[in-house]
Amino acid sequence: MLGAWALRWSLPARRAPKRGKAPAGPSPSVRSPRGELSESQPGGSRTPATAGQVWRESVKQWRAEGRIAVWLHVPILQSKFIATAALEGFTFHHAESDSSTLTLWLGEGHSRLPGYATHQLGVADYKCMEIPGGLSDPGEDIGNTAVREVFEETGIKSEFKSLLSIRQQHRHPGAFGISDMYIICRLQPSSFNISFCQQECLRCEWMDLEELAKTKDTTPITSNVAKLLLYGYREGFDKIDITMREFPAVYTGLFYKLYHRELPDTYKT
């Protein structure tokens, strides 16, 4: 970001369940910080007909509790419950060799659940203190993802400048055990007034970069990127930037983007 300032935001706290008797339906085995539920035993000893009735009551209670989504993991030997789940609004998300996963969006508007892939690409601009960002849409360039996500979450307009760092994590628990690539970008803002998305953020504010680099109340990613930005701000961003160039591909009419450290002019020809 421009100058020695960075944008930080935090997620809204999960709404506490209301007191009262739990539904007789499936008990979620996982409750995520974003209010998502994960159910791993769709039917138990029930028949599809009785399971459908139980799910209906469960969904009503989950909506009342403020849950935003349900993940239904169906072992292959219980596939008879898939048709019943579909009648209750569940849709396929992905399938593996011995199970399938269905989802039901309970929140407002269209579903914001991520799609499934062999690799997941998350892009952020440089959450307690997090960097605004999210998943790339299919066919979306890295820089465009960063600009779009920052605007959607904070209302800040910006321009992509460079890549700063890449985090690679295999068997990511939050990405169905697949590999996750998390790319940190440097953007230059063209607006500074924050109008953050209350569905995704609890708080959003500009923060002094030196303070962000020193605080203990953040993640190792945010802390290290803050130090990297400080170094670039003081010594020149050419020391840290990974820039982009576009080239024609070997396939007619297609182009690709190559990211690398900036070359001296004498090496570009």
Side-chain angles (χ1 to χ4, degrees):
M1 309 300 285
L2 182 64
W5 292 86
L7 194 62
R8 71 172 183 177
W9 62 286
S10 54
L11 295 172
R14 176 171 56 85
R15 189 182 304 174
K18 295 182 178 179
R19 294 185 180 275
K21 186 177 180 181
S27 299
S29 57
V30 176
R31 296 171 181 250
S32 85
R34 293 178 181 267
E36 299 169 18
L37 305 178
S38 180
E39 164 58 30
S40 298
Q41 297 184 2
S45 59
R46 303 185 187 92
T47 65
T50 56
Q53 183 178 357
V54 168
W55 278 333
R56 243 169 274 129
E57 295 301 316
S58 298
V59 167
K60 288 181 182 178
Q61 173 138 353
W62 291 335
R63 288 185 188 275
E65 292 175 352
R67 307 297 176 185
I68 63 170
V70 181
W71 297 89
L72 184 63
H73 308 284
V74 185
I76 191 170
L77 294 179
Q78 293 190 340
S79 296
K80 61 183 180 181
F81 290 99
I82 291 177
T84 303
L87 291 174
E88 300 305 321
F90 284 86
T91 58
F92 275 117
H93 185 268
H94 68 275
E96 296 174 317
S97 60
D98 58 353
S99 66
S100 59
T101 298
L102 289 76
T103 63
L104 177 63
W105 179 251
L106 303 178
E108 296 180 358
H110 69 280
S111 173
R112 297 193 300 275
L113 295 175
Y116 185 76
T118 57
H119 284 70
Q120 175 171 281
L121 179 61
V123 181
D125 166 61
Y126 200 93
K127 307 190 252 103
C128 201
M129 301 170 194
E130 295 197 8
I131 303 169
L135 300 181
S136 282
D137 292 333
E140 185 177 39
D141 287 335
I142 293 169
N144 291 341
T145 300
V147 169
R148 172 181 58 78
E149 286 287 347
V150 168
F151 179 73
E152 290 177 354
E153 295 174 1
T154 71
I156 301 293
K157 296 180 180 180
S158 59
E159 177 188 357
F160 171 77
K161 302 303 290 185
S162 72
L163 303 189
L164 291 176
S165 65
I166 301 173
R167 184 212 66 193
Q168 182 182 38
Q169 181 174 335
H170 299 297
R171 301 186 298 277
H172 196 299
F176 315 101
I178 63 175
S179 298
D180 178 80
M181 300 285 286
Y182 190 66
I183 299 176
I184 313 296
C185 300
R186 183 172 72 86
L187 308 183
Q188 177 156 340
S190 57
S191 68
F192 296 87
N193 293 328
I194 295 173
S195 177
F196 65 88
C197 174
Q198 297 185 7
Q199 292 179 323
E200 298 199 38
C201 310
L202 177 63
R203 187 179 66 175
C204 180
E205 62 185 2
W206 291 102
M207 186 176 182
D208 183 87
L209 198 54
E210 290 193 36
E211 181 183 348
L212 187 58
K214 294 177 181 178
T215 182
K216 303 296 183 183
D217 188 23
T218 188
T219 65
I221 291 178
T222 301
S223 177
N224 279 277
V225 170
K227 294 171 184 175
L228 185 65
L229 278 170
L230 269 180
Y231 174 59
Y233 182 70
R234 292 168 176 169
E235 304 296 330
F237 286 118
D238 61 304
K239 306 284 187 183
I240 64 170
D241 281 347
I242 301 173
T243 57
M244 179 272 294
R245 296 178 67 191
E246 187 174 73
F247 296 92
V250 295
Y251 307 101
T252 304
L254 296 180
F255 294 82
Y256 65 86
K257 291 178 171 60
L258 183 65
Y259 297 86
H260 57 77
R261 290 292 302 275
E262 187 66 29
L263 287 170
D265 292 337
T266 54
Y267 283 83
K268 289 182 180 179
T269 56

